Amino acid sequence: RTEHPPHTNSNNNRKEKMAETSKSSPLFEGPGKVKLEYFAIAGVAEKVRLALACAKIPFDDIRINFAEWMGEDSRKKTAKYGQLPILTLKDGTEIYQSFAMMKYIGGNDPEGKLYPAGDIEKRLKIDIAMGVTADLTRAFYPAMVIGMRPASLGHPADMDSETKTAVIKSMRETFMEEEFPKYMKYYKDLLDENGGQFLSGDDLTIADLDALHTVRYYALGIADFIPTDSLEAYPEIESWIQRVLDYPSVKEYYANQAK
């Protein structure tokens, strides 16, 4: 007879129970597909799209143009908080707030890896990593929004183009020099502390999906005055990005997007 450590059967039973619970969720049970609505950009919905893909949940990826969002019969008028993304489950329930979506999807992952139910220590690590990504997003926000809404940062709303460009350049270069390296170190530390593969351990979780687009943004040439080689000084971060991109479900998702 094969002897097993006492925890082995317990872990297997927990995984089986999690899979059964997940399958009874309105993410899986019911007619049709779940629906994710957002604009035709990556934005804050990209991490949710990736979570759905990694949890093997088929979904309708609804891309709304700005005219549809702001029009007379706009979707915005029926959105509970007047914002996107909106995740609609198979039973018609609408879920708002991208972090809530991520945790709900991850907690219903049939493999129990994205946001493991019943493993509070693992979830703590995931939440810490997601907090770092939220801090990075918040730190860059003024330098991002200055070009669109200068008045929100105390600048004249009608700031002339030359002055606005100079302010944007100064703010973004200062951010890249003073703030960006700190956050890359934070991510490196997370990788080192958790085994070097993913941000919270050996398995990919919603923390990695949350951070992927946020970190890659700085190398995609999307924002003026942010060099596309910004990540080259951080080989551990580049390696982590490639591991996430090579993860089968993530790779499949982006291959389908390219079609």
Side-chain angles (χ1 to χ4, degrees):
R1 193 181 81 183
T2 302
E3 295 290 341
H4 296 283
H7 68 276
T8 302
N9 289 334
S10 175
N11 286 345
N12 288 339
N13 290 339
R14 185 173 66 182
K15 288 181 179 179
E16 290 173 4
K17 186 175 181 180
M18 286 163 55
E20 291 173 2
T21 301
S22 296
K23 290 300 183 181
S24 66
S25 161
L27 281 168
F28 296 94
E29 194 170 86
K33 299 178 182 178
V34 300
K35 178 173 67 175
L36 181 65
E37 298 171 85
Y38 193 64
F39 303 112
I41 57 174
V44 296
E46 191 70 355
K47 60 194 176 190
V48 183
R49 296 176 183 129
L50 288 169
L52 288 165
C54 289
K56 305 292 193 299
I57 300 171
F59 68 102
D60 288 327
D61 188 6
I62 308 298
R63 308 286 179 118
I64 296 176
N65 63 48
F66 289 100
E68 291 174 318
W69 179 243
M70 298 298 293
E72 184 175 338
D73 297 318
S74 69
R75 181 66 171 102
K76 185 174 184 178
K77 291 182 178 179
T78 61
K80 184 174 182 179
Y81 300 113
Q83 62 185 28
L84 295 173
I86 302 170
L87 178 67
T88 304
L89 305 181
K90 289 187 174 189
D91 64 358
T93 301
E94 292 184 348
I95 298 178
Y96 295 81
Q97 305 298 339
S98 58
F99 285 115
M101 296 175 197
M102 292 282 285
K103 292 182 178 184
Y104 183 69
I105 295 164
N108 281 285
D109 172 25
E111 293 187 6
K113 294 180 178 180
L114 291 177
Y115 195 58
D119 191 342
I120 193 168
E121 296 300 324
K122 182 70 170 184
R123 284 190 166 190
L124 176 61
K125 290 182 178 182
I126 293 169
D127 288 347
I128 288 170
M130 293 177 76
V132 170
T133 300
D135 287 346
L136 171 58
T137 300
R138 189 161 41 247
F140 184 64
Y141 183 79
M144 179 184 71
V145 79
I146 181 66
M148 299 176 285
R149 296 190 290 276
S152 67
L153 296 171
H155 296 276
D158 58 351
M159 187 164 47
D160 66 85
S161 178
E162 184 176 346
T163 301
K164 181 187 291 187
T165 299
V167 172
I168 293 171
K169 182 175 186 293
S170 175
M171 291 180 69
R172 292 182 181 176
E173 288 180 348
T174 298
F175 172 84
M176 294 305 295
E177 180 180 345
E178 297 180 1
E179 296 295 319
F180 190 70
K182 293 194 303 188
Y183 285 96
M184 294 306 100
K185 182 180 184 304
Y186 297 155
Y187 284 120
K188 181 181 181 302
D189 289 346
L190 286 170
L191 290 167
D192 291 344
E193 291 164 7
N194 293 300
Q197 292 299 302
F198 296 105
L199 293 177
S200 54
D202 292 334
D203 294 321
L204 179 137
T205 71
I206 59 172
D208 300 284
L209 304 179
D210 177 37
L212 178 64
H213 178 67
T214 298
V215 177
R216 286 185 77 206
Y217 172 89
Y218 297 95
L220 295 178
I222 296 172
D224 293 336
F225 310 114
I226 304 293
T228 55
D229 63 357
S230 295
L231 294 174
E232 290 183 7
Y234 311 99
E236 297 89 352
I237 305 305
E238 288 190 313
S239 295
W240 162 76
I241 288 173
Q242 195 57 53
R243 279 193 296 277
V244 178
L245 291 173
D246 286 341
Y247 193 82
S249 298
V250 175
K251 191 172 185 177
E252 181 181 4
Y253 168 79
Y254 281 118
N256 290 334
Q257 292 298 303
K259 291 179 182 179

